Amino acid sequence: MMTSPLLQQGLDLMVYGMGTVFLFLTLLVAVTALMSSLVSRFLPDKPEPMAVSTSPPAVDERILAIIQQAIDQHRKRH
């Protein structure tokens, strides 16, 4: 059975296109993995020391009164 030239060209184009996409994505994954390993090797992640606070932060009495008034106004509306 003879395949039409149009169908053959379509199949050739499909294989070429899918091969190109596969090659590009494979190359992209390889380059990304290489870059990740290079960054991990030359720029190791250094954890920054956390400031430890034993006492809760001081809140001004005026601020507490304003917050309490806002809560009271909100509760009165509902």
Side-chain angles (χ1 to χ4, degrees):
M1 180 174 170
M2 194 140 175
T3 308
S4 71
L6 186 60
L7 184 61
Q8 184 63 41
Q9 287 177 350
L11 288 174
D12 289 343
L13 185 61
M14 180 188 72
V15 169
Y16 178 73
M18 291 176 70
T20 302
V21 169
F22 180 77
L23 183 65
F24 173 75
L25 291 177
T26 303
L27 186 62
L28 182 67
V29 168
V31 169
T32 303
L34 177 66
M35 286 175 42
S36 177
S37 65
L38 288 175
V39 167
S40 295
R41 173 181 283 173
F42 294 114
L43 299 173
D45 191 23
K46 297 175 185 172
E48 296 180 14
M50 299 289 290
V52 178
S53 175
T54 57
S55 63
V59 179
D60 188 16
E61 293 295 324
R62 189 175 125 254
I63 302 291
L64 286 176
I66 293 170
I67 292 172
Q68 187 61 49
Q69 284 178 344
I71 291 172
D72 292 341
Q73 285 179 3
H74 178 72
R75 288 182 178 165
K76 285 180 185 175
R77 279 193 249 164
H78 295 286

